[in-house]
Amino acid sequence: MQRKYDSIRPIKWENDQLVLLDQRLLPAKEHYLQYEDVIDVANAITEMVVRGAPAIGVTAAYGVVLAVRNQNPEQNSNWQSDVEVDLKTLADARPTAINLRWAIDRMRKVIAALKPGEEPIEILLQEAKLIHQQDIEANYKISDLAAEMLEINSTVITHCNAGALATGGYGTALGVIRSAYEQKKIKLVYADETRPWLQGARLTAWELQKENIPVKLLADGAAAMLMRQEKPDWVIVGSDRIAANGDVANKIGTYNLAVNAKQHGVKVMVAAPVSTIDMGSHSGEEIPIEYRDESELLKIQGQRVAPEGVSAWNPVFDVTPACLVDAIVTERGIVKSPNLEKIKTLMS
Ligand code: MRU
C-alpha cells in the first residue's frame, strides 16, 4: 500500500509503453515522455531524462521488454542472441550505477529460463514490474529501519537526489527522511544544490516541498560551515555502487561531505537496496567512475560562464571510504561501521 508522503512515481508502464518523467525539466515542468524503442531508452538514461541508480535499473528492466518486443520473437528464432547487442547498449548507458547491470542480468536470467511455447514478452514484463515493485518495497523497509536510528527533531543534510525520482518510488535517503518526518523525527532537511546538474536544488527541493517537508538549500561548499554552526545530526545519502569492503560510490561531493562530517562529529548514513552492493568490486578503487562532458561545468543553461579556452574536469561520482561511513542501511538490515566481513554476512 502506498504511504503518506509518497506522491511521486517517475517511471510507469502505460498502454504498452514505458513512460518516464523528464527530470531535466523539473521543477519548471512536469512532462512525461513515452518510449517504445530500447535505444531511445538507453539515450534517456545517458542524457539524464531518468537518473538515480535504482531508477535506471527499473528503467532498464522495462527497456529489456522493449528490446525483446522489437526482435519480434514469434518470427525470429534467433531473438535471444540478436537482442544481446541492444542489451549491451542499454548496460553501457551509464557506467557507475551497478543497479543498471543488475536489472539487465536479472532479466537475462528470465530469458534463459523461458520454456518452449512460453510467451516471452508477457513474462518479461511481469519480471520488470516485479523489479519495480520490489524496489519500492525495499525503500519502505530501508526507511523504517533507518528512521529508528534518528532522534526526535533531527536536522539532516542530503546530497544530490536519492528520492522517489531516483528510484521506483519513495526513495532511499529521501525515503528515510519521509518515514522519519512522519514519526516527527525531522526538524529540517538541508539539501546540497549538487553542481553541476543541480539534483539537490531542482529535484530534492521539489520532492520535499511537494510533501511539505521543511527543506533549505545550501551551496555544496557551505556544508562544512553548516556543520560547525548548525550541528546537524546526520548526513543521509544514497549510493550508485557499494563495494564489498563498504566503500561507497555516490554523486560527486559525497566524499567532501563525509570528510567534513568526520571533522565535525556528524554521523553519515548511506541508504541503499542490496541491488546497489557489488561484491565483484572489492574496493572503491574498482568502481568505474563516470566522467561527463566538460560543457556541463563550463556552461550554465547553455551560456558559457568560464572563459573560452579554459577546460574542466568533470567526474560525476566519487568514492567515500568505508571508514567515513557510520551505517549502511539496506532492506536486509543495518551494517554499522561497514567492512568486508559485515557486508559478506549481509549478502550471504
Ligand atoms: O547522476 P545521478 O543524478 O544519476 O546521480 C544520482 C546519485 O548520485 C544518487 O545519490 C544515487 O544514484 C542514489 S539514488 C537512490
Side-chain angles (χ1 to χ4, degrees):
M1 209 181 65
Q2 215 154 321
R3 295 193 168 189
K4 213 175 164 189
Y5 309 112
D6 189 13
S7 63
I8 301 162
R9 290 289 180 270
I11 306 163
K12 299 175 194 173
W13 182 267
E14 278 174 357
N15 304 321
D16 293 331
Q17 292 177 324
L18 173 63
V19 180
L20 299 175
L21 175 59
D22 189 347
Q23 300 192 25
R24 300 166 304 178
L25 304 181
L26 289 172
K29 266 193 204 144
E30 275 177 56
H31 181 67
Y32 288 86
L33 297 169
Q34 279 78 30
Y35 293 89
E36 292 189 70
D37 185 88
V38 61
I39 303 305
D40 293 340
V41 174
N43 288 335
I45 293 171
T46 305
E47 291 162 13
M48 312 277 283
V49 170
V50 58
R51 30 65 52 203
I56 62 179
V58 171
T59 301
Y62 288 117
V64 174
V65 178
L66 297 177
V68 171
R69 193 170 73 186
N70 290 359
Q71 288 294 330
N72 228 336
E74 280 182 9
Q75 279 153 38
N76 174 8
S77 56
N78 287 330
W79 70 268
Q80 296 204 11
S81 53
D82 290 352
V83 80
E84 274 302 319
V85 179
D86 287 347
L87 301 197
K88 188 178 177 323
T89 305
L90 195 56
D92 289 344
R94 288 191 79 187
T96 304
I98 190 67
N99 310 59
L100 177 63
R101 282 163 189 75
W102 172 87
I104 296 169
D105 284 346
R106 189 164 145 180
M107 296 297 279
R108 272 199 184 103
K109 283 190 191 129
V110 174
I111 294 176
L114 284 168
K115 297 191 187 74
E118 278 185 332
E119 217 287 280
I121 297 159
E122 202 38 54
I123 292 172
L124 288 165
L125 180 58
Q126 275 172 24
E127 186 70 6
K129 286 182 175 171
L130 188 64
I131 289 174
H132 192 171
Q133 190 50 37
Q134 286 176 343
D135 183 60
I136 298 169
E137 277 158 21
N139 292 339
Y140 291 158
K141 281 193 195 140
I142 290 168
S143 303
D144 289 343
L145 283 175
E148 281 177 28
M149 299 176 78
L150 269 66
E151 306 285 341
I152 297 289
N153 262 336
S154 296
T155 299
V156 302
I157 310 181
T158 190
H159 188 67
C160 191
N161 172 268
L165 293 169
T167 61
Y170 204 64
T172 55
L174 291 196
V176 176
I177 287 169
R178 284 179 158 93
S179 292
Y181 184 72
E182 202 178 332
Q183 298 170 24
K184 311 225 174 319
K185 289 183 166 179
I186 296 283
K187 185 167 74 186
L188 180 60
V189 181
Y190 285 98
D192 271 356
E193 65 169 351
T194 319
R195 283 276 292 144
W197 272 81
L198 302 178
Q199 289 95 332
R202 295 188 305 104
L203 309 178
T204 294
W206 178 79
E207 271 197 36
L208 293 179
Q209 190 187 49
K210 221 172 159 63
E211 314 282 19
N212 282 320
I213 298 175
V215 58
K216 231 179 220 190
L217 208 59
L218 73 154
D220 299 346
M225 165 86 165
L226 178 90
M227 287 180 190
R228 195 170 61 194
Q229 203 165 297
E230 302 296 319
K231 305 198 182 337
D233 301 281
W234 282 95
V235 168
I236 307 179
V237 292
S239 172
D240 280 77
R241 192 184 299 217
I242 298 172
N245 71 345
D247 290 350
V248 172
N250 192 46
K251 177 55 53 195
I252 192 78
T254 304
Y255 179 33
N256 298 33
L257 266 189
V259 170
N260 281 320
K262 187 62 131 194
Q263 167 72 11
H264 294 94
V266 178
K267 288 169 284 182
V268 174
M269 178 195 294
V270 177
V274 290
S275 55
T276 301
I277 298 176
D278 177 19
M279 296 307 282
S281 295
H282 299 100
S283 79
E285 287 191 14
E286 292 177 26
I287 298 178
I289 297 294
E290 179 182 9
Y291 287 74
R292 292 182 67 93
D293 197 276
E294 62 175 11
S295 64
E296 292 181 353
L297 282 175
L298 298 172
K299 294 179 183 174
I300 293 179
Q301 292 188 326
Q303 283 285 101
R304 192 167 174 110
V305 287
E308 290 295 341
V310 168
S311 63
W313 186 62
N314 189 22
V316 300
F317 296 100
D318 58 26
V319 173
T320 298
C323 61
L324 296 180
V325 175
D326 291 279
I328 295 175
V329 184
T330 73
E331 70 275 32
R332 282 200 202 155
I334 301 174
V335 181
K336 290 189 182 160
S337 307
N339 60 28
L340 177 61
E341 207 178 306
K342 292 179 191 174
I343 302 271
K344 264 191 184 163
T345 307
L346 178 85
M347 297 303 278
S348 64

